[in-house]
Amino acid sequence: MTRTLGAVLVLASLAVIGSQAPAGATTAAHGASHAAAPSVSQHRTTAAARSRRSASIHVSPRFFGIHDGSGLAYGRVDFGSLRLWDAQVTWADIETSPGVYDWSRLDTLVQLAQEHDTEVTLVLAMTPSFYASAPSLPPSRLADYRAFVTAVMSRYRDFDGSRGILDYQVWNEGNVRTFWTGTPHQLAQMTRVVDQVRDQVDPDATVVAPSFAVRLKGQRKWLSQYVAQRVGGKPVWRYYDVNALSLYPMATYGSRTGGPEDAVAMLGNVRHRLAAARVPASMPLWATEINYGLPSGAPPGHLAAAPISQRRQAANVIRTYLLAAAAGVSRVYWYRYDWDDLPASAGGGTLGNTLLSDPQNHSVVTPAGQALATVASWLRGRLVGADGKQPCASNAHGTYTCTVRYHGGTRTILWNPFHKVTVQVPGGTTEQDQRGRSAPLSRRTAKVKVGYRPVMVTTP
């Protein structure tokens, strides 16, 4: 099927991805006034004004986040923010006995981030064994959690003369029993503790809500129960600044593998649930974990994701960050840079199918890791919607069109996740593939082949 680029842009307005705040921006919805992070903008405005603004989105380097406990991602892939989880710096890792803290590993990770101007998010999760019978339970006394959070914030608000940790997340995946077996109300109480300590110790810090998985119906119900909680006479959302999701889609949908379009599609249901709890639509939303192919309810020995080609992995990275930006997600943390192979007893392989580095050698960056730099370069400028509509819309045939305007012209990014199509573009343009390789299109009109791998066309 062949269509002109103009026709694609018109049809793109027919199926619009919903959007909230601009990517890379944060709105302080907290009841008290908190100073914003250096990479964060404050937006307090009407819904109509937000809608107009959301058709033009600028992303900051902080938008591109990853997980990495190895420290090997620096200088190898393009990212501006780091979430420390599965990095051996949980509460249980740090507090070795009541009131005794081992900061050595966290100090090292924070120092590396400072050296590379990378913003750090620390997850304040997993209770030490001397405070609870399981790490997934809250401590028997909230005062013990308060003491730990106070110690962390006191240490890293000014670490060796500069900001150490800016963002503190209350817990990891509160609706996944591996990480939390307490109640929604207990988690809400711990959220208030983090906010109270922030107010007293580090008012400039950002409090991030517990993350929640949302691909299963029961997980979404649990999220609704949490945001409906009231603590101290206030709704729980008044005690944090950012909503957080693990945007893992199902591993498969029928005969096809789940992908970025499936991950972003889950946002509609989530936003409906947040709105039902009267969480302000202006409050930012971070995807604190994302990857693809993760099995759900897999039996022991079958935990690994089915592998996909390196081309598909690179396409997953580019489409994820494009669609997330267009959908108003303020930050995306890829899980993860330093993924090791599972042990043979668990079937080998990796839990996710899209890898930024070689599991055998994290110094080796994969095409998916290289794709971070490609999508970051494509998004420099302003992501805009056609005819005032939201960006990165798909047409009736499933072809996505993302338009980025910058000082030198316009970038148009095209892909179709399920079909191969041909799009006509104006002559005198330049085509670039997902590996960053460019070629001129000098004819009066040129045809660009489009499939699951995004293609970027530059027009002066």
Side-chain angles (χ1 to χ4, degrees):
M1 180 181 305
T2 301
R3 296 187 178 274
T4 65
L5 181 57
V8 170
L9 293 174
V10 171
L11 286 168
S13 66
L14 298 178
V16 175
I17 298 174
S19 178
Q20 299 292 327
T26 299
T27 303
H30 184 266
S33 175
H34 294 288
S39 65
V40 173
S41 301
Q42 297 293 331
H43 294 284
R44 294 182 178 89
T45 185
T46 64
R50 282 197 306 275
S51 178
R52 288 193 299 271
R53 185 181 58 240
S54 64
S56 180
I57 295 170
H58 170 77
V59 300
S60 77
R62 306 299 191 202
F63 171 68
F64 302 94
I66 65 169
H67 295 72
D68 177 34
S70 69
L72 294 173
Y74 295 110
R76 291 184 168 87
V77 296
D78 206 355
F79 68 103
S81 55
L82 175 73
R83 182 176 183 252
L84 293 177
W85 180 247
D86 285 337
Q88 295 78 55
V89 288
T90 65
W91 179 15
D93 292 318
I94 293 170
E95 189 166 357
T96 57
S97 60
V100 177
Y101 306 107
D102 179 358
W103 303 109
S104 55
R105 177 157 174 77
L106 185 54
D107 282 354
T108 298
L109 295 173
V110 170
Q111 287 166 349
L112 274 172
Q114 287 177 320
E115 291 168 7
H116 294 86
D117 188 30
T118 300
E119 188 174 307
V120 175
T121 296
L122 178 67
V123 187
L124 305 168
M126 310 314 287
T127 308
S129 60
F130 40 83
Y131 291 143
S133 59
S136 60
L137 286 169
S140 57
R141 298 190 319 144
L142 282 177
D144 295 321
Y145 188 58
R146 185 184 301 274
F148 167 68
V149 176
T150 299
V152 173
M153 289 191 179
S154 298
R155 185 175 185 85
Y156 295 105
R157 66 186 173 194
D158 184 352
F159 186 63
D160 289 342
S162 62
R163 166 65 66 178
I165 298 174
L166 180 61
D167 313 313
Y168 294 93
Q169 187 163 29
V170 178
W171 209 266
N172 182 72
E173 295 185 346
N175 55 355
V176 176
R177 292 188 63 81
T178 302
F179 307 110
W180 181 256
T181 51
T183 67
H185 187 69
Q186 288 172 320
L187 191 54
Q189 289 177 315
M190 297 182 77
T191 303
R192 183 172 68 158
V193 168
V194 177
D195 174 69
Q196 289 172 335
V197 174
R198 183 263 302 270
D199 285 349
Q200 296 166 2
V201 176
D202 188 2
D204 291 341
T206 300
V207 175
V208 183
S211 59
F212 295 99
V214 292
R215 66 178 179 175
L216 302 177
K217 183 178 180 180
Q219 293 170 342
R220 296 189 291 271
K221 181 179 179 181
W222 214 102
L223 167 63
S224 292
Q225 292 172 340
Y226 170 80
V227 295
Q229 296 300 311
R230 298 182 68 86
V231 185
K234 296 179 181 180
V236 67
W237 57 261
R238 288 197 175 273
Y239 299 112
Y240 61 81
D241 307 306
V242 178
N243 290 296
L245 303 175
S246 290
L247 277 184
Y248 298 111
M250 299 297 291
T252 57
Y253 293 80
S255 60
R256 66 174 179 82
T257 302
E261 295 74 23
D262 302 302
V264 172
M266 296 188 295
L267 292 173
N269 183 285
V270 170
R271 284 182 167 135
H272 175 77
R273 290 171 182 273
L274 295 177
R278 298 188 177 181
V279 179
S282 58
M283 182 178 285
L285 189 153
W286 291 1
T288 46
E289 291 185 34
I290 194 165
N291 207 310
Y292 301 99
L294 278 73
S296 179
H302 297 81
L303 297 176
I308 60 176
S309 71
Q310 291 193 337
R311 287 180 173 181
R312 286 196 176 274
Q313 292 181 50
N316 277 351
V317 169
I318 293 175
R319 283 154 47 192
T320 294
Y321 283 95
L322 286 170
L323 289 172
V329 177
S330 302
R331 194 168 297 182
V332 179
Y333 292 89
W334 200 270
Y335 191 93
R336 53 181 300 143
Y337 175 79
D338 55 339
W339 224 338
D340 296 324
D341 282 328
L342 293 167
S345 59
T350 54
L351 290 175
N353 65 22
T354 301
L355 309 178
L356 305 184
S357 72
D358 185 340
Q360 306 299 321
N361 183 355
H362 298 310
S363 297
V364 178
V365 178
T366 64
Q370 295 166 1
L372 270 172
T374 299
V375 69
S377 69
W378 287 1
L379 276 169
R380 290 192 186 108
R382 299 202 70 84
L383 183 63
V384 301
D387 301 324
K389 303 298 183 179
Q390 303 295 340
C392 293
S394 64
N395 66 19
H397 301 280
T399 301
Y400 285 79
T401 301
C402 298
T403 303
V404 178
R405 294 196 181 122
Y406 66 109
H407 69 278
T410 300
R411 301 186 195 97
T412 303
I413 304 149
L414 304 159
W415 76 90
N416 189 307
F418 308 122
H419 308 289
K420 292 183 178 180
V421 298
T422 302
V423 178
Q424 263 190 353
V425 299
T429 61
T430 300
E431 176 187 1
Q432 187 176 102
D433 65 16
Q434 66 181 26
R435 294 178 63 184
R437 299 176 302 185
S438 298
L441 300 172
S442 57
R443 298 178 181 177
R444 182 174 299 177
T445 59
K447 295 179 180 180
V448 176
K449 294 181 179 179
V450 175
Y452 69 86
R453 291 180 287 168
V455 173
M456 188 272 286
V457 176
T458 302
T459 306

